[in-house]
Amino acid sequence: MRAVKTKNTAPELRVRSLLHGLGYRFRLHRKDLPGTPDIVFPGRHCVIFVSGCLWHMHECRRGKLPASNVTFWREKLERNRRRDQRVQTQLQDDGWRILIVWECETKDKGQLTRRVQTFLEQTVRD
Ligand SMILES: [Zn+2]
C-alpha cells in the first residue's frame, strides 16, 4: 500500500467539483491552518476535510483494518486519529467550523449536496 495521499484525491475532487457547481468560492490546502484543511471558506470561517476511510479510521466497511500486519496498521492509524483530533481542537479553538466528509460519503451526490449546504449555510457571512 502506498503512503498517505492527502491532496487532490478522487473523493476530494468530487467534493470540490460539487461545491463549484453550487457556486461556492473556496481556497485549497491552506498551509497556515492546523492540519492544512482540504477546502477552506475564509469568509464563512468554515473548513472541510475530505478523509479517506481507511487512513482516518471511519467506522464503515472501507475503514476496516487490513488483515495483515495488524499491529503496524493499528499503531499507524491510531496516530492519524490522534493527529486529526488535535488538529480539529486547534481549529475549533481558533473559531473555525469543521465538516468531515468521508470518502464513502462522496458517491451519493444528492446527499453530499444537502450535507455541505446545511453546513455552509449555518454560517453567518461576514
Ligand atoms: Zn467510510
Side-chain angles (χ1 to χ4, degrees), residues 53 58 60 102 104:
C53 296
H58 190 209
C60 74
W102 294 99
C104 63

Side-chain angles (χ1 to χ4, degrees), residues 26-85:
F26 48 87
R27 307 277 299 275
L28 300 174
H29 309 127
R30 282 264 306 262
K31 289 202 179 63
D32 57 321
L33 293 176
T36 314
D38 298 315
I39 301 170
V40 181
F41 303 84
R44 297 168 186 269
H45 240 58
C46 285
V47 300
I48 296 179
F49 287 95
V50 183
S51 295
C53 296
L54 172 61
W55 297 112
H56 300 273
M57 298 184 84
H58 190 209
E59 290 174 3
C60 74
R61 189 175 50 80
R62 286 162 160 271
K64 286 228 174 76
L65 277 177
S68 57
N69 295 322
V70 171
T71 308
F72 167 80
W73 284 110
R74 182 170 292 135
E75 282 173 11
K76 183 179 181 60
L77 297 175
E78 281 292 345
R79 266 200 309 278
N80 284 354
R81 173 145 74 186
R82 280 196 297 275
R83 191 179 56 220
D84 288 348
Q85 284 168 349

